[in-house]
Every structure is written in structure tokens, then in C-alpha cells.
Amino acid sequence: MIARILKWLMLLQVLAVLGLAYLAMQAWGVASPLLAVLLALAMLLAVRALIVVRNFWESRRLGSPVPPEYQLGTMGAARLFLGELRATLWTSSWGMLRPRLHAAGTILGQGLPVLLVHGYVCNGGYWTKLSRQLARAGIVHKAIDLEPINADIEEFVPLVEQAITELCARTGSDRVILVAHSMGGLVARAWLRHYGAARVARIVTIGTPHHGTALANLAAGANARQMSRVDGTPSGWLAQLAASETPETRALITSIYSHHDNIVAPQASAQLPGARNIAFGGIGHVALASDARVLRQLLAEITIKSEVAQPPSAPHFA
């Protein structure tokens, strides 16, 4: 569904570019058709960039303090912005339009199978870069699409259960690893509440608003309301989810997050008490699952034995 929506949006953007190019030639006196198209593309890019700027501004205004060791200078801030803009453009304009995963080649069942769970208004195409890394490592993996996109998070739980059942049957494994971005981490925790921990070795969440995000107050859908945070207080659904979890449940979870997340605000909302929390800096929300540093950490979380789960000895700098 999201791929169809994005294709229509891409068509509208193409029409907008052509219309602006025509206007540039007819009303602004631009003689070259190529220059007119380039000018129109620049205007479209500027609009997309302004959306990213607005998200950064809101998330900083409503955000948590950035620890001194993660503070960014001018160049670091520029890399943060450009990295998030690039990730947003690539994901929405290519990756999610043609969602494909990479096969694990001739190696089957190298380690535990992995289920990839995307976030709000995304699809399995979000995982293209991680899928390539998993395929190279010979790790069998599968991504699900959470639809309808505006549904209650609880409605996504059966999709996770079905995918886990299929992965276990396909590989002969009795357990899987869940890797989930943003809202997907809440979906994974909701699945754990319903079905228990018998078939999951580890849950790795990336940029998940475990305690809600103020930016969800501006989004649409039942799932957005469940992720909301009003006056510093998580939604009732989030509070109930947290109350249902035991220390043993939390110990299964690794939460990877960025102190510069531009969607999760406050950024400390991604810290989950009792879980293994791993912080990064200088990475935006969409860019988290394509950043080389995070990809290395994800592969380590997926491939290390569960009992060797110690926190990193030094912070990750931008």
C-alpha cells in the first residue's frame, strides 16, 4: 500500500517539476529547457529539505539534552542534516517504491533467522542496506509490511506472529531475532506481550519511541496516537505496555538510538530501562538503519551469542 502511495506522490512531484519548468520558461524568462528543469528540481529539493529542517527544529525544541561527548560542531551538524536528507530521499524515492530483500545466497541458516519490522508509514524497502549486509553474512531474513498504515499497533501483532512461524518453518530454527525500527520496536514489544519469549532470542529496536514522541501528536492514525506524548507523559497504551513487562522481558531487548534523532523527541524516550541501551550521535531517524556504524552494531547484535551481551566500552562519536 505504501509503495502505491509513494508512486502516486512521485508522479505528482514529476508533474510539479514539469509545471515549474514550464513556468520558469514562460514567466521567468529561462531560455534553456534543461536549466528550467534543473531550477524546478532545486525548488522541489528545497521543499524536501525544509521538511527535514522543520523536523530537526521541532525535535530539538522538544528534545532531551545532548550529553557533552555527543555534542556536534558546525561540520558535524551539516553531516547530520545531509545524511538524514539523503536517507529520506533515497528511502521514499527509491527503496520503498520497489521493496526487495537480498537473498542469503547459497548459505542457509547461518545463525538465527532475522525478522525485520519497519516503522510508521514505511514498508520492507526500508531495510535494503541491512538486508544486503545480512545476505553477505549468510543470514536468512524476512521483512513484513505493517498494513493498513494507520491501524492500531495491536492489529500488527498477528502479522509478526505469522512471519515468525514462517521463518521458523523455513529454517528449522526454534527461535528468531527481531530487528525493528521506530514504531516497529513497539510492535515487537506488543507481540512479546501476546506470545511470550519462547521463540525470540533477541529484540533489537532502532530509534524506537519507547516512552512516546511529541512529534507523533502531529501525525495521523491510531498508531500515531499510541506513540504520542502529551505534556511529557506517554500515552495510556505505552504505559500499559510497559507495565506488562518483566525484568526478564526487558533483558531480551537491545535499544539502539541517536541523541540527534529528529523524530523521537525527547531522544531519551528511546532509552528502555532494563534493556541494553546503545547510544550514537550525529545520526538522524531515517538514517539509523543505513549508517555504517549502526549497521556494524546491528550485525554484532545479530551474530554474537546472547550471553555475550555487554555494553560498549566507549561512546560512538559522530
Side-chain angles (χ1 to χ4, degrees), residues 9 85 163 169 269 272 287 313:
L9 288 175
L85 178 61
S269 176
L272 188 62
S313 57

Side-chain angles (χ1 to χ4, degrees), residues 152-154 182-190 193 208-217 222-230 232-245 250 264-266 269-273:
D152 187 298
I153 288 175
E154 299 289 348
S182 194
M183 181 190 73
L186 301 177
V187 176
R189 288 172 60 199
R193 174 170 60 173
T208 291
H210 290 296
H211 309 286
T213 172
L215 271 69
N217 304 340
N223 45 22
R225 291 190 293 273
Q226 289 169 307
M227 293 187 288
S228 67
R229 185 180 176 92
V230 181
T233 303
S235 71
W237 183 86
L238 284 170
Q240 292 172 3
L241 179 63
S244 72
E245 294 173 330
R250 290 286 178 88
V264 177
S269 176
Q271 297 174 357
L272 188 62

Side-chain angles (χ1 to χ4, degrees), residues 86-288:
R86 180 174 61 249
T88 301
L89 290 172
W90 187 91
T91 301
S92 63
S93 302
W94 183 254
M96 291 197 302
L97 265 67
R98 47 191 301 278
R100 298 176 184 175
L101 296 184
H102 297 269
T106 58
I107 305 173
L108 184 63
Q110 189 81 359
L112 293 173
V114 175
L115 179 64
L116 305 171
V117 187
H118 65 74
Y120 180 71
V121 193
C122 288
N123 64 19
Y126 175 76
W127 299 109
T128 301
K129 292 192 176 181
L130 177 58
S131 173
R132 184 180 297 114
Q133 298 289 328
L134 293 175
R136 288 174 180 170
I139 297 171
V140 177
H141 56 285
K142 175 184 177 66
I144 59 174
D145 290 337
L146 303 177
E147 294 182 348
I149 59 176
N150 61 348
D152 187 298
I153 288 175
E154 299 289 348
E155 294 182 36
F156 300 139
V157 170
L159 300 177
V160 176
E161 171 63 14
Q162 180 182 354
I164 289 175
T165 300
E166 292 174 357
L167 260 181
C168 288
R170 174 183 166 191
T171 62
S173 176
D174 59 352
R175 294 189 304 165
V176 303
I177 294 172
L178 298 182
V179 176
H181 177 250
S182 194
M183 181 190 73
L186 301 177
V187 176
R189 288 172 60 199
W191 171 84
L192 192 61
R193 174 170 60 173
H194 282 275
Y195 291 96
R199 288 179 298 153
V200 62
R202 190 176 306 108
I203 295 175
V204 183
T205 68
I206 313 165
T208 291
H210 290 296
H211 309 286
T213 172
L215 271 69
N217 304 340
L218 307 174
N223 45 22
R225 291 190 293 273
Q226 289 169 307
M227 293 187 288
S228 67
R229 185 180 176 92
V230 181
D231 296 328
T233 303
S235 71
W237 183 86
L238 284 170
Q240 292 172 3
L241 179 63
S244 72
E245 294 173 330
T246 65
E248 292 75 19
T249 298
R250 290 286 178 88
L252 289 169
I253 301 173
T254 296
S255 177
I256 296 175
Y257 67 100
S258 171
H259 284 293
H260 299 99
D261 195 304
N262 55 312
I263 297 297
V264 177
Q267 289 73 22
S269 176
Q271 297 174 357
L272 188 62
R276 181 175 181 241
N277 294 285
I278 302 176
F280 285 83
I283 309 171
H285 187 76
V286 177
L288 274 166

Side-chain angles (χ1 to χ4, degrees), residues 46-70:
V47 171
R48 298 289 299 269
L50 284 173
I51 294 172
V52 175
V53 167
R54 177 256 188 190
N55 287 340
F56 272 115
W57 182 82
E58 287 285 352
S59 66
R60 191 68 269 142
R61 183 176 68 87
L62 301 167
S64 47
V66 179
E69 63 269 32
Y70 292 97

